[in-house]
Amino acid sequence: MLPSLTARAQKIIHDTFDVDVEPQWQFPREVAHGDVTLSLALQLAKRVGKNPKEIADLLRTGLEKDPSVIKIEVAGNGYVNVWLSAGALQSELDAAMAAGSAQPIRKKEAPVIVEYSSPNIAKPLGIHHILSTSIGQAIANLYQHGGFKVIHWNYIADWGLQFGKLWVAHQKWGTRSVEDYSLDDMLQLYVKFHAEAETDSTLEDAARAEFKKLEDGDPAIRHFLDVITDSTKKANKHIYDRLNVAFDVEYGEGFYEDKMQPVIDEGKKKKVMKEGEKGALIVEFPEESKLPPYMILKGDGATLYSTRDLAQMRYRIDTYHPQGIYIVVDVAQKLHFQQLEATCKLLGWELPSFEHVIFGRMSFTDQAMSTRKGNIVKLDDVLNEGVERAKKKIDEHRASIQTDDEAELAEIMGVGALVYGILSQNRKMDIVFDWDKMLSFDGNSAPYLQYTHARARSILRKVTDPPSSADSGEAGVTEEELMLGDYERTLIKTLMQFPAAIAEARETHMPHKLANFLFQLAQDFNGFYNIEPILKAEGPSRAFRLRLVELTADTLRTGASLLSIRVPDRM
Ligand code: ARG
């Protein structure tokens, strides 16, 4: 950023103090503090034993001469506040837009594996799945946009005693062929199994015996599992499509059946896994790690979630040589992942960057959502609910809404509201979801961003006489010709922060940092729009303002798409 100013600042510091620095420009919120600020003097004061104000004055005198500076002040106890020329702002804006756009995929670099969603088969996706699904997709999008090769991984839970139970239930009470079951049918069978098992203790034993058969490779139950896996994937695909979510790899836990033994052998050989109580195979960790033992095999030799996860890590490392493995799962599994990572390390595996990307619980302010009948609130129902509520919103705002496809608009708004309601909150905290807030047209919500985007596009549609190339500054526009107002400067300053917002959201795996940025951008755009004439402006001002409108619309669209949220052109 600001190469010539930065170089000057470096030179001043180098020549005076013989110190090399990497000046970081910041963007003050207050217009009274300039377009950009340097706090370098404050950071250096101790190191060079000088009063920060003196250093700041030195910087001011030196930077003042740069042609990109129209005004410069020392403020507070040593901040250097700079107002940039229109030309400098424009070239910084160009650079920021280039840096914020999708980067070409760096094919030679190792991929990043992002694992998310990971539902159970034979059950409809529940509302809680939206968290892992949306957070994971956003993180994957951010990597992809940054030029990383990304493997979108859905680690489907298709293994375990519950499938023995389902198989028993199907044989006892099944009403049709397995191929014809809907996810609801399967859920009902499963619920019935548990209800019956309360009075009939032989059922649990039968289920265990069937699961054992599955582990031993019995073709009939294996086939049953394949069929229900397939129907689950098909049913989920419809919801994933609505959410703009897609996967490259969907291996379930069962895929690792034959990949566990080598890991167990390795663990025993390296004495990382040893016999624990009742013949179980466990990993014990050094005392200072404070981790309790990790069970790898039960006393009866049965494998566990942990066994499959270890095999899965080995497989991913060997097959993809990834630079990162990021697994987006409920914070409730924190201990499991700490033990998993620690075990990989004890085994001496060379782990890539690894993170259990946690999230908290989600609750609705609307009681009806959490206390619905049945033991699962279906995600599809919640999406439909959002769309219904969006239709009502559209009705309320009928006078100001323009659309050629109301049903589509309601889908975009309703689904967007749910996804944005999650992604705009810090995932590490519990997420409280309020439909009214999330569908509001003037708060931190998807409809607000969507409406702002549509408003910007609508201005652009109204341009009947595009600015001349002279007004667009292709031949260079002087400072006198392009006077920038405070609202313009604020908007430019915010647009310039787009690349940093994306990078920060990606590096911290925190999509809400991008959401916050988009909200700020929408607010700054609306501030500008409400004050400055755009279509009625003249000459270079009109050309430049139209450009700001277009950059805002494009940035909102790109940013929203990184959160897997759509923005309409009309609304
Ligand atoms: N299916 C699991 C669950 O519902 C989540 C999978 C998490 N990923 C993993 N590699 N263990 O709890």
Side-chain angles (χ1 to χ4, degrees):
M1 214 183 116
L2 295 166
S4 95
L5 267 192
T6 306
R8 265 181 209 264
Q10 277 169 324
K11 185 162 167 22
I12 295 165
I13 300 300
H14 180 88
D15 292 354
T16 323
F17 304 112
D18 200 21
V19 170
D20 290 322
V21 287
E22 211 46 75
Q24 299 295 330
W25 296 97
Q26 284 157 340
F27 300 91
R29 259 327 283 164
E30 296 275 323
V31 273
H33 296 164
D35 299 318
V36 288
T37 292
L38 213 51
S39 56
L40 189 59
L42 294 153
Q43 292 150 17
L44 266 180
K46 257 228 171 92
R47 192 162 151 203
V48 301
K50 275 262 163 350
N51 177 332
K53 236 179 146 115
E54 262 175 61
I55 309 176
D57 276 328
L58 200 68
L59 283 166
R60 180 177 53 80
T61 328
L63 297 181
E64 207 164 33
K65 304 182 193 100
D66 194 273
S68 65
V69 175
I70 55 171
K71 181 172 149 190
I72 184 164
E73 280 177 6
V74 172
N77 39 2
Y79 289 97
V80 181
N81 295 340
V82 179
W83 283 256
L84 296 167
S85 69
L89 281 171
Q90 293 199 54
S91 48
E92 281 304 312
L93 201 50
D94 289 340
M97 290 300 119
S101 62
Q103 303 301 305
I105 297 290
R106 297 188 288 273
K107 292 216 184 74
K108 289 205 189 95
E109 217 174 83
V112 168
I113 294 178
V114 185
E115 187 215 289
Y116 55 106
S117 201
S118 305
N120 286 313
I121 62 156
K123 271 191 190 157
L125 287 176
I127 177 60
H128 57 285
H129 287 114
I130 187 79
L131 295 170
S132 171
T133 305
S134 291
I135 295 168
Q137 183 68 44
I139 293 172
N141 292 344
L142 283 161
Y143 274 107
Q144 190 143 352
H145 187 84
F148 291 80
K149 239 188 303 176
V150 180
I151 300 168
H152 305 70
W153 200 301
N154 196 2
Y155 182 57
I156 297 171
D158 62 357
W159 205 254
L161 186 56
Q162 71 257 43
F163 303 106
K165 294 178 181 174
L166 198 57
W167 176 235
V168 169
H170 165 65
Q171 283 166 323
K172 278 198 174 315
W173 310 296
T175 48
R176 57 193 86 180
S177 76
V178 183
E179 279 78 4
D180 297 332
Y181 280 143
S182 70
L183 294 187
D184 286 326
D185 296 334
M186 296 187 224
L187 183 62
Q188 264 169 27
L189 277 177
Y190 191 68
V191 169
K192 182 160 172 83
F193 180 94
H194 282 274
E196 299 283 333
E198 295 214 347
T199 52
D200 180 354
S201 63
T202 64
L203 286 174
E204 292 277 353
D205 292 338
R208 255 189 293 277
E210 292 302 331
F211 178 54
K212 180 83 179 56
K213 276 204 222 157
L214 177 63
E215 285 193 303
D216 295 341
D218 177 83
I221 177 164
R222 179 79 246 183
H223 176 72
F224 170 73
L225 200 63
D226 288 344
V227 173
I228 60 179
T229 302
D230 239 38
S231 11
T232 309
K233 281 189 187 164
K234 278 198 194 104
N236 290 350
K237 170 90 170 55
H238 158 76
I239 300 177
Y240 288 147
D241 284 348
R242 286 183 86 176
L243 292 167
N244 304 305
V245 163
F247 296 99
D248 304 306
V249 179
E250 289 196 298
Y251 295 143
E253 290 184 34
F255 177 75
Y256 301 96
E257 258 313 277
D258 61 352
K259 299 176 179 58
M260 290 183 281
Q261 197 54 50
V263 173
I264 295 168
D265 293 343
E266 180 183 344
K268 284 184 182 163
K269 199 169 134 221
K270 292 186 173 162
K271 302 207 170 11
V272 171
M273 298 174 190
K274 20 187 161 303
E275 200 173 310
E277 270 173 51
K278 295 190 192 131
L281 189 67
I282 60 165
V283 177
E284 281 177 324
F285 302 100
E287 187 135 8
E288 62 279 10
S289 76
K290 297 207 169 65
L291 291 171
Y294 195 35
M295 197 190 286
I296 307 295
L297 290 177
K298 286 203 224 166
D300 63 3
T303 60
L304 295 151
Y305 184 56
S306 55
T307 333
R308 280 179 287 283
D309 247 346
L310 269 176
Q312 166 274 104
M313 290 294 282
R314 184 73 259 170
Y315 178 81
R316 287 178 190 177
I317 296 170
D318 290 346
T319 313
Y320 298 93
H321 308 287
Q323 58 174 302
I325 299 180
Y326 308 119
I327 303 185
V328 187
V329 190
D330 196 324
V331 64
Q333 295 193 27
K334 189 165 177 184
L335 176 61
H336 162 75
F337 284 105
Q338 285 175 335
Q339 292 170 316
L340 177 66
E341 185 178 8
T343 302
C344 294
K345 286 187 180 152
L346 285 179
L347 286 167
W349 295 356
E350 231 168 89
L351 270 192
S353 144
F354 177 80
E355 186 182 339
H356 167 206
V357 179
I358 60 163
F359 52 81
R361 283 169 166 272
M362 178 174 182
S363 63
F364 285 84
T365 51
D366 180 349
Q367 271 321 82
M369 297 303 300
S370 28
T371 55
R372 246 182 224 174
K373 273 235 168 94
N375 54 0
I376 181 167
V377 178
K378 286 198 276 170
L379 181 50
D380 210 27
D381 290 345
V382 180
L383 292 177
N384 292 340
E385 161 110 22
V387 174
E388 282 315 308
R389 286 175 183 254
K391 280 184 187 150
K392 288 205 192 95
K393 268 281 157 190
I394 295 174
D395 258 341
E396 280 167 33
H397 290 262
R398 174 104 14 229
S400 58
I401 287 221
Q402 22 161 302
T403 172
D404 5 288
D405 189 344
E406 209 167 297
E408 173 75 350
L409 179 60
E411 173 78 15
I412 294 179
M413 277 171 64
V415 173
L418 181 66
V419 173
Y420 189 82
I422 289 159
L423 295 182
S424 58
Q425 299 185 49
N426 182 336
R427 63 173 167 79
K428 294 187 183 170
M429 320 275 256
D430 284 346
I431 288 172
V432 180
F433 189 91
D434 180 340
W435 274 119
D436 287 330
K437 233 164 94 185
M438 285 310 159
L439 277 164
S440 131
F441 273 47
D442 44 31
N444 188 5
S445 70
Y448 176 67
L449 299 184
Q450 290 165 332
Y451 191 70
T452 305
H453 171 264
R455 175 181 253 182
R457 293 280 173 218
S458 138
I459 300 170
L460 298 171
R461 276 195 301 274
K462 287 188 191 130
V463 178
T464 45
D465 50 333
S468 66
S469 58
D471 285 346
S472 303
E474 276 155 40
V477 173
T478 67
E479 292 302 310
E480 293 71 45
E481 284 173 318
L482 184 59
M483 285 288 289
L484 297 174
D486 283 352
Y487 286 92
E488 281 167 297
R489 283 185 180 269
T490 300
L491 179 57
I492 297 168
K493 206 153 64 177
T494 301
L495 281 166
M496 274 159 59
Q497 293 171 67
F498 185 45
I502 313 181
E504 203 192 348
R506 182 185 67 232
E507 284 158 15
T508 59
H509 298 159
M510 292 287 224
H512 79 285
K513 306 219 164 160
L514 173 59
N516 287 348
F517 165 84
L518 295 175
F519 180 44
Q520 187 66 58
L521 175 61
Q523 287 175 298
D524 291 341
F525 174 78
N526 286 316
F528 156 76
Y529 169 93
N530 290 331
I531 299 291
E532 309 279 12
I534 298 170
L535 289 165
K536 292 209 177 84
E538 283 173 15
S541 271
R542 178 170 177 273
F544 185 66
R545 287 177 191 171
L546 282 171
R547 175 139 192 270
L548 286 179
V549 174
E550 188 169 13
L551 292 180
T552 301
D554 290 348
T555 304
L556 285 173
R557 165 166 286 159
T558 305
S561 78
L562 288 171
L563 303 177
S564 278
I565 292 169
R566 291 190 283 160
V567 289
D569 280 345
R570 286 170 202 274
M571 177 163 170

